[in-house]
């Protein structure tokens, strides 16, 4: 029996790489994105359904899940991948942007999961994989909103791990490090206010260091391979660091006290 995965945020980066990998492995793929009319590569693949899903649009979530079930008859794995990062001094960020950050990365993930769970429950099992980040276990400067959402994803996933086990559903977290995607471009939403002069030296130092750190990240395919392993290893393991950088940093965080680790992050950013 051919298994089916539904992926949010499939238009680029990790989502696209994962859709292609699962297709290569013989899965049915429901590749969702906000603007499917712009997609050409995935639509040409057999057993791939490209359809609209915007995690801030409840109707689109319901429609995408329904379309996937109508096309393939089942969903075995949900990959909650859609997300973005709002960075900047908290004083400078409008509250509507703060709400969007949580709506996309947390509320949209929860609503999509809720839309798929009835099918998984009735079918007797499946897997929910949430893309977290090293940013769900460690923090970087000026990432109050982004890190808040990823810490939330870590906590809600761990709690869901208990309750969904009772219906045969595994919950898993994939934790990428720095990934060579357009996250630093289209998905990196930086807000600043030059009139807040007290923050500007800090902001400029951060932006210089961030540009250097973003170079040479893991390829999205590395994360896709970790997602595939999480989906197919038939264990109840919860967390999967993705790539050597994430593995090393998360191990370092677990073994280090707050003052030492945070001091190291400050030094890395020149603060």
């Amino acid at each position: 029996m051919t298994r089916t995965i539904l992926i949010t945020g499939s238009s680029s980066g990790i989502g696209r790489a994962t859709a292609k990998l699962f297709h290569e492995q013989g899965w049915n793929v429901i590749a969702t994105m906000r603007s499917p009319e712009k997609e050409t590569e995935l639509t040409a693949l057999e057993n791939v359904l490209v359809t609209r899903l915007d995690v801030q649009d409840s109707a689109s979530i319901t429609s995408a899940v329904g379309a996937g079930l109508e096309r393939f008859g089942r969903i075995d794995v949900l990959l909650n991948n859609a997300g973005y990062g709002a960075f900047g001094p908290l004083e400078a960020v409008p509250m509507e942007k703060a709400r969007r950050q949580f709506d996309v990365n947390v509320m949209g993930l929860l609503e999509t999961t809720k839309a798929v769970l009835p099918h998984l429950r009735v079918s007797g099992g499946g897997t929910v994989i949430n893309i977290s980040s090293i940013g769900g276990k460690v923090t970087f400067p000026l990432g109050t909103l982004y890190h808040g959402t990823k810490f939330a994803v870590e906590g809600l996933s761990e709690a869901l791990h208990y309750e969904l086990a009772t219906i045969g559903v595994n919950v898993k977290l994939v934790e990428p490090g720095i990934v060579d995607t357009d996250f630093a471009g289209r998905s990196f939403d930086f807000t600043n206010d030059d009139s807040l002069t007290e923050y500007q030296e800090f902001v400029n130092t951060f932006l210089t260091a961030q540009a250097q750190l973003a170079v040479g990240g893991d390829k999205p395919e590395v994360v896709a391979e970790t997602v595939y392993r999480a989906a197919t290893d038939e264990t109840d393991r919860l967390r999967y660091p993705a790539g050597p950088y994430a593995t090393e940093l998360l191990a370092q965080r677990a073994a280090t006290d707050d003052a030492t680790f945070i001091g190291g992050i400050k030094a890395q950013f020149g603060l």
Side-chain angles (χ1 to χ4, degrees):
M1 178 170 48
T2 303
R3 289 182 287 179
T4 301
I5 183 171
L6 187 152
I7 304 169
T8 65
S10 297
S11 62
S12 63
I14 294 169
R16 174 179 288 273
T18 303
K20 292 168 69 174
L21 175 60
F22 275 75
H23 170 262
E24 290 166 3
Q25 295 298 322
W27 286 55
N28 298 321
V29 178
I30 307 163
T32 75
M33 57 194 69
R34 287 183 296 171
S35 302
E37 68 279 1
K38 297 179 182 179
E39 178 59 40
T40 56
E41 181 184 18
L42 295 177
T43 52
L45 299 178
E46 188 177 355
N47 295 332
V48 174
L49 171 65
V50 176
T51 190
R52 182 176 182 272
L53 191 157
D54 180 343
V55 295
Q56 291 185 275
D57 180 348
S58 299
S60 77
I61 295 172
T62 301
S63 177
V65 172
L69 290 172
E70 182 178 359
R71 171 74 178 272
F72 298 119
R74 61 186 296 115
I75 295 172
D76 300 278
V77 176
L78 166 64
L79 177 64
N80 284 306
N81 166 70
Y84 90 110
F87 280 73
L90 182 60
E91 275 196 73
V93 180
M95 283 310 298
E96 57 266 27
K97 187 170 288 189
R99 291 188 180 94
R100 180 181 179 235
Q101 175 70 101
F102 278 82
D103 281 346
V104 172
N105 287 15
V106 180
M107 301 309 295
L109 178 152
L110 288 173
E111 188 166 2
T112 305
T113 302
K114 284 193 69 174
V116 173
L117 279 180
H119 171 73
L120 298 182
R121 174 168 46 79
V122 171
S123 64
T127 304
V128 175
I129 303 174
N130 294 329
I131 296 293
S132 177
S133 167
I134 54 171
K137 303 297 286 289
V138 306
T139 64
F140 297 138
L142 300 180
T144 300
L145 299 175
Y146 173 73
H147 290 297
T149 64
K150 290 303 184 181
F151 270 65
V153 168
E154 290 277 336
L156 68 86
S157 299
E158 186 170 314
L160 271 174
H161 188 259
Y162 298 115
E163 70 187 74
L164 297 191
T166 65
I167 61 170
V169 174
N170 288 317
V171 177
K172 307 199 172 197
L173 283 157
V174 170
E175 302 165 322
I178 296 171
V179 181
D180 183 14
T181 70
D182 69 349
F183 185 87
R186 183 178 67 176
S187 299
F188 182 72
D189 188 358
F190 192 85
T191 301
N192 188 29
D193 181 346
D194 291 339
S195 71
L196 298 171
T197 56
E198 296 88 345
Y199 294 111
Q200 296 315 301
E201 182 178 353
F202 185 94
V203 166
N204 290 332
T205 300
F206 165 80
L207 290 174
T208 299
Q210 188 268 340
Q212 295 171 345
L213 289 171
V215 175
D218 290 324
K219 296 298 182 184
E221 289 75 16
V222 171
V223 184
E225 289 167 2
T226 305
V227 172
Y228 187 77
R229 185 166 71 252
T232 59
D233 67 3
E234 298 184 355
T235 73
D236 62 354
R237 177 180 172 182
L238 176 60
R239 289 183 169 88
Y240 296 74
Y245 179 83
T247 300
E248 181 180 347
L249 186 67
L250 293 175
Q252 193 178 70
R253 182 65 184 100
T256 310
D257 63 85
D258 286 350
T260 302
F261 188 84
I262 292 172
I265 294 295
K266 286 181 177 179
Q268 194 171 17
F269 279 87
L271 302 173

